[in-house]
Each structure stands twice: as structure tokens, then as C-alpha cells.
Amino acid sequence: MKKLLYSFLLLSSATLFAQKNTSTRFAVANDIVGTVDMFSNNLKGYVQSSRTFRSSAELPQNLKKFVNIADNGLVEYKLKSGLGTLDRLSLADLNTQYNLAKNTPVLIDGYEFANTDTLVYGDILRNVKVVDNNGSKTVSVSTQK
């Protein structure tokens, strides 16, 4: 009975972890994915300007590839020049760090990123672990502390 209960708890926690976190507001700067919280809390000094899109229908052509993460809108930031670069890595590199195939989709706050060529800012990688997603292992990232 204990094994059954433990198995149920483990499965339900993995399922809950993989659900979309609807409070996450994604942001993009220089075609690199981050979050609005990241820019407004930690990187205010890097931001030159921002433009908010309230829905995926409003996205301009250059941001259409991010339509799957625009449920809560999307903010595009323009960064100041001359301040250096922010840490970033591709999702394929993240998969490699966790011994998964480079083309394995990655979950970020429950949103699936199938294109592992996508770059993300290192600041959003708060809690990273490998989870079982519909029978296959995948990297799951939580942007919350």
C-alpha cells in the first residue's frame, strides 16, 4: 500500500510540475527568451525600451515563432548597447547537460519548447530537473524560486 501511495504521489507531482504556469509572462530580447520578472527585477539597468503585446494575435512577424508562449501576452525588450552580454544558452545545450538528446523538447513553466535551437537567458533557469513527460524524459525548468 505504501508503494502504491508513493507511486501515486510521485506521478501526481510530476504531472503538476509539467502543467503550464499561467502566471508566467515571457519576454524576448534579441530573439532570446526570458521572463518579464527577470527584466523588471534583476536587469532593469539593461533595458532601453519595451513593447508589450497583449495577445498572440498582436505579435509582429519577427515574434510569430514565439506564439506558443504568448498566452499571457509577450513583452519585447530592446537592450542598451555597450553593457556586455547576458548569460544565455540554447535548449539543445541544456538537454546535453542533462544527458538527453539535443532535439528533446524542453518544458519551461509547463510551456513546451519543441525548437531546441531556441536561446534562453540563464537567469530563468531557477529550478531545472529531468521529469517523465508522457513516457519520455524531458528537461523541465521552473522560473520561480
Side-chain angles (χ1 to χ4, degrees):
M1 184 66 179
K2 285 183 183 180
K3 287 183 182 179
L4 182 64
L5 182 60
Y6 178 73
S7 298
F8 174 73
L9 289 175
L10 186 63
L11 179 63
S12 63
S13 68
T15 302
L16 287 174
F17 190 78
Q19 290 181 348
K20 287 183 179 181
N21 182 350
T22 55
S23 67
T24 301
R25 291 193 55 223
F26 286 101
V28 175
N30 300 331
D31 266 358
I32 304 169
V33 176
T35 62
V36 172
D37 289 341
M38 177 189 90
F39 283 103
S40 61
N41 294 334
N42 303 336
L43 303 172
K44 288 180 190 176
Y46 281 82
V47 175
Q48 179 177 329
S49 64
S50 66
R51 186 171 173 200
T52 302
F53 302 96
R54 303 262 179 237
S55 71
S56 57
E58 294 179 16
L59 295 177
Q61 193 61 38
N62 66 317
L63 296 177
K64 290 287 186 190
K65 62 185 166 189
F66 300 111
V67 71
N68 62 321
I69 61 171
D71 290 350
N72 295 328
L74 188 71
V75 178
E76 181 181 32
Y77 287 102
K78 183 172 183 183
L79 302 179
K80 295 177 183 175
S81 60
L83 292 178
T85 59
L86 298 171
D87 288 338
R88 60 183 165 244
L89 87 148
S90 72
L91 296 177
D93 290 341
L94 186 63
N95 277 330
T96 301
Q97 288 179 13
Y98 286 89
N99 299 318
L100 297 175
K102 288 185 175 188
N103 62 347
T104 304
V106 174
L107 298 173
I108 300 178
D109 285 343
Y111 290 84
E112 184 175 85
F113 287 75
N115 180 1
T116 58
D117 291 332
T118 301
L119 295 173
V120 296
Y121 286 107
D123 287 24
I124 70 169
L125 304 176
R126 301 282 178 147
N127 185 6
V128 183
K129 61 184 173 181
V130 177
V131 298
D132 182 5
N133 183 30
N134 297 328
S136 62
K137 293 188 181 285
T138 188
V139 172
S140 183
V141 176
S142 173
T143 61
Q144 307 300 315
K145 287 185 180 180

Short mmCIF file of all heavy atoms in Angstrom, two decimals, residues 111-137:
data_model
loop_
_atom_site.label_atom_id
_atom_site.label_comp_id
_atom_site.label_asym_id
_atom_site.label_seq_id
_atom_site.Cartn_x
_atom_site.Cartn_y
_atom_site.Cartn_z
N TYR A 111 5.31 25.18 -20.44
CA TYR A 111 5.20 25.50 -21.87
C TYR A 111 6.25 24.69 -22.62
O TYR A 111 7.43 24.73 -22.27
CB TYR A 111 5.42 26.99 -22.13
CG TYR A 111 4.31 27.86 -21.62
CD1 TYR A 111 4.28 28.29 -20.29
CD2 TYR A 111 3.29 28.26 -22.47
CE1 TYR A 111 3.25 29.09 -19.83
CE2 TYR A 111 2.26 29.07 -22.02
CZ TYR A 111 2.25 29.47 -20.69
OH TYR A 111 1.23 30.27 -20.23
N GLU A 112 5.81 23.97 -23.63
CA GLU A 112 6.74 23.12 -24.38
C GLU A 112 7.46 23.90 -25.46
O GLU A 112 6.83 24.59 -26.26
CB GLU A 112 6.01 21.94 -25.01
CG GLU A 112 6.95 20.98 -25.70
CD GLU A 112 6.25 19.75 -26.23
OE1 GLU A 112 5.72 19.83 -27.36
OE2 GLU A 112 6.22 18.74 -25.51
N PHE A 113 8.78 23.79 -25.46
CA PHE A 113 9.62 24.38 -26.48
C PHE A 113 10.15 23.25 -27.34
O PHE A 113 11.10 22.55 -26.95
CB PHE A 113 10.79 25.15 -25.85
CG PHE A 113 10.38 26.45 -25.21
CD1 PHE A 113 9.72 26.47 -23.99
CD2 PHE A 113 10.65 27.66 -25.83
CE1 PHE A 113 9.35 27.66 -23.40
CE2 PHE A 113 10.29 28.85 -25.25
CZ PHE A 113 9.62 28.86 -24.03
N ALA A 114 9.55 23.03 -28.50
CA ALA A 114 9.95 21.94 -29.39
C ALA A 114 11.21 22.30 -30.17
O ALA A 114 12.01 21.43 -30.50
CB ALA A 114 8.82 21.60 -30.34
N ASN A 115 11.41 23.57 -30.46
CA ASN A 115 12.59 24.02 -31.19
C ASN A 115 13.72 24.22 -30.20
O ASN A 115 13.78 25.23 -29.50
CB ASN A 115 12.30 25.31 -31.95
CG ASN A 115 13.50 25.81 -32.72
OD1 ASN A 115 14.56 25.21 -32.71
ND2 ASN A 115 13.33 26.94 -33.39
N THR A 116 14.64 23.26 -30.15
CA THR A 116 15.72 23.34 -29.16
C THR A 116 16.86 24.26 -29.60
O THR A 116 17.84 24.42 -28.88
CB THR A 116 16.27 21.94 -28.83
OG1 THR A 116 16.73 21.32 -30.02
CG2 THR A 116 15.20 21.10 -28.16
N ASP A 117 16.73 24.88 -30.77
CA ASP A 117 17.68 25.91 -31.17
C ASP A 117 17.35 27.24 -30.47
O ASP A 117 18.13 28.19 -30.53
CB ASP A 117 17.65 26.13 -32.68
CG ASP A 117 18.22 24.94 -33.44
OD1 ASP A 117 19.08 24.22 -32.87
OD2 ASP A 117 17.79 24.71 -34.59
N THR A 118 16.20 27.30 -29.81
CA THR A 118 15.78 28.49 -29.09
C THR A 118 16.80 28.81 -28.00
O THR A 118 17.22 27.93 -27.25
CB THR A 118 14.39 28.28 -28.45
OG1 THR A 118 13.46 27.97 -29.48
CG2 THR A 118 13.93 29.51 -27.69
N LEU A 119 17.17 30.08 -27.91
CA LEU A 119 18.08 30.54 -26.86
C LEU A 119 17.26 31.07 -25.68
O LEU A 119 16.23 31.73 -25.89
CB LEU A 119 19.00 31.65 -27.39
CG LEU A 119 19.99 31.25 -28.47
CD1 LEU A 119 20.71 32.48 -29.01
CD2 LEU A 119 21.00 30.26 -27.93
N VAL A 120 17.74 30.81 -24.47
CA VAL A 120 17.10 31.34 -23.27
C VAL A 120 18.17 32.01 -22.41
O VAL A 120 19.35 31.63 -22.46
CB VAL A 120 16.38 30.24 -22.45
CG1 VAL A 120 15.23 29.65 -23.22
CG2 VAL A 120 17.33 29.18 -21.97
N TYR A 121 17.76 33.00 -21.64
CA TYR A 121 18.67 33.65 -20.70
C TYR A 121 18.90 32.75 -19.50
O TYR A 121 17.97 32.12 -19.00
CB TYR A 121 18.12 35.00 -20.25
CG TYR A 121 18.22 36.05 -21.34
CD1 TYR A 121 17.08 36.48 -22.02
CD2 TYR A 121 19.45 36.60 -21.69
CE1 TYR A 121 17.18 37.43 -23.02
CE2 TYR A 121 19.54 37.55 -22.69
CZ TYR A 121 18.42 37.96 -23.35
OH TYR A 121 18.52 38.89 -24.34
N GLY A 122 20.12 32.69 -19.04
CA GLY A 122 20.47 31.86 -17.90
C GLY A 122 19.72 32.23 -16.64
O GLY A 122 19.52 31.39 -15.76
N ASP A 123 19.29 33.48 -16.52
CA ASP A 123 18.58 33.94 -15.32
C ASP A 123 17.24 33.24 -15.10
O ASP A 123 16.72 33.26 -13.99
CB ASP A 123 18.33 35.45 -15.39
CG ASP A 123 19.59 36.26 -15.16
OD1 ASP A 123 20.70 35.72 -15.40
OD2 ASP A 123 19.50 37.41 -14.72
N ILE A 124 16.66 32.64 -16.14
CA ILE A 124 15.36 31.99 -15.94
C ILE A 124 15.51 30.55 -15.47
O ILE A 124 14.53 29.91 -15.12
CB ILE A 124 14.46 32.04 -17.20
CG1 ILE A 124 14.99 31.15 -18.31
CG2 ILE A 124 14.25 33.46 -17.64
CD1 ILE A 124 14.00 30.98 -19.45
N LEU A 125 16.72 30.04 -15.44
CA LEU A 125 16.95 28.64 -15.07
C LEU A 125 17.06 28.51 -13.55
O LEU A 125 18.11 28.18 -13.01
CB LEU A 125 18.21 28.10 -15.76
CG LEU A 125 18.21 28.23 -17.29
CD1 LEU A 125 19.54 27.77 -17.85
CD2 LEU A 125 17.07 27.45 -17.91
N ARG A 126 15.98 28.74 -12.87
CA ARG A 126 15.95 28.71 -11.40
C ARG A 126 15.96 27.29 -10.84
O ARG A 126 16.70 26.97 -9.95
CB ARG A 126 14.72 29.43 -10.87
CG ARG A 126 14.60 30.87 -11.26
CD ARG A 126 15.51 31.69 -10.42
NE ARG A 126 15.41 33.07 -10.86
CZ ARG A 126 15.53 34.08 -10.05
NH1 ARG A 126 15.75 33.88 -8.79
NH2 ARG A 126 15.44 35.29 -10.52
N ASN A 127 15.07 26.47 -11.35
CA ASN A 127 14.90 25.11 -10.85
C ASN A 127 14.80 24.20 -12.07
O ASN A 127 13.79 24.21 -12.75
CB ASN A 127 13.65 25.02 -9.97
CG ASN A 127 13.48 23.67 -9.34
OD1 ASN A 127 14.34 22.80 -9.43
ND2 ASN A 127 12.35 23.47 -8.69
N VAL A 128 15.84 23.43 -12.32
CA VAL A 128 15.89 22.58 -13.51
C VAL A 128 16.00 21.13 -13.07
O VAL A 128 16.80 20.80 -12.20
CB VAL A 128 17.11 22.94 -14.40
CG1 VAL A 128 17.12 22.10 -15.65
CG2 VAL A 128 17.11 24.42 -14.74
N LYS A 129 15.15 20.28 -13.66
CA LYS A 129 15.25 18.86 -13.39
C LYS A 129 14.70 18.07 -14.56
O LYS A 129 14.01 18.62 -15.42
CB LYS A 129 14.54 18.49 -12.10
CG LYS A 129 13.06 18.77 -12.04
CD LYS A 129 12.54 18.42 -10.65
CE LYS A 129 11.11 18.83 -10.48
NZ LYS A 129 10.62 18.51 -9.14
N VAL A 130 15.03 16.80 -14.58
CA VAL A 130 14.53 15.90 -15.62
C VAL A 130 13.27 15.23 -15.08
O VAL A 130 13.27 14.73 -13.96
CB VAL A 130 15.59 14.85 -16.00
CG1 VAL A 130 15.03 13.87 -17.02
CG2 VAL A 130 16.83 15.53 -16.55
N VAL A 131 12.20 15.27 -15.87
CA VAL A 131 10.92 14.67 -15.46
C VAL A 131 10.44 13.72 -16.55
O VAL A 131 10.90 13.77 -17.69
CB VAL A 131 9.83 15.74 -15.19
CG1 VAL A 131 10.23 16.64 -14.04
CG2 VAL A 131 9.52 16.55 -16.42
N ASP A 132 9.49 12.90 -16.18
CA ASP A 132 8.84 11.99 -17.13
C ASP A 132 7.67 12.75 -17.74
O ASP A 132 6.76 13.17 -17.03
CB ASP A 132 8.37 10.74 -16.41
CG ASP A 132 7.74 9.72 -17.34
OD1 ASP A 132 7.74 9.96 -18.56
OD2 ASP A 132 7.24 8.70 -16.85
N ASN A 133 7.70 12.94 -19.05
CA ASN A 133 6.65 13.67 -19.75
C ASN A 133 6.03 12.73 -20.78
O ASN A 133 6.61 12.50 -21.84
CB ASN A 133 7.22 14.91 -20.42
CG ASN A 133 6.17 15.74 -21.10
OD1 ASN A 133 5.02 15.78 -20.67
ND2 ASN A 133 6.55 16.42 -22.17
N ASN A 134 4.88 12.16 -20.44
CA ASN A 134 4.18 11.23 -21.33
C ASN A 134 5.07 10.06 -21.75
O ASN A 134 5.12 9.69 -22.92
CB ASN A 134 3.64 11.96 -22.56
CG ASN A 134 2.61 13.00 -22.20
OD1 ASN A 134 1.87 12.85 -21.24
ND2 ASN A 134 2.57 14.08 -22.97
N GLY A 135 5.81 9.53 -20.80
CA GLY A 135 6.61 8.34 -21.06
C GLY A 135 8.02 8.59 -21.54
O GLY A 135 8.78 7.65 -21.73
N SER A 136 8.40 9.84 -21.75
CA SER A 136 9.78 10.13 -22.14
C SER A 136 10.38 11.17 -21.20
O SER A 136 9.67 12.00 -20.65
CB SER A 136 9.85 10.61 -23.59
OG SER A 136 9.13 11.82 -23.72
N LYS A 137 11.68 11.10 -21.04
CA LYS A 137 12.35 12.03 -20.16
C LYS A 137 12.53 13.36 -20.88
O LYS A 137 12.86 13.42 -22.06
CB LYS A 137 13.71 11.48 -19.73
CG LYS A 137 13.59 10.25 -18.84
CD LYS A 137 14.93 9.86 -18.29
CE LYS A 137 14.85 8.65 -17.44
NZ LYS A 137 14.29 8.85 -16.15
#
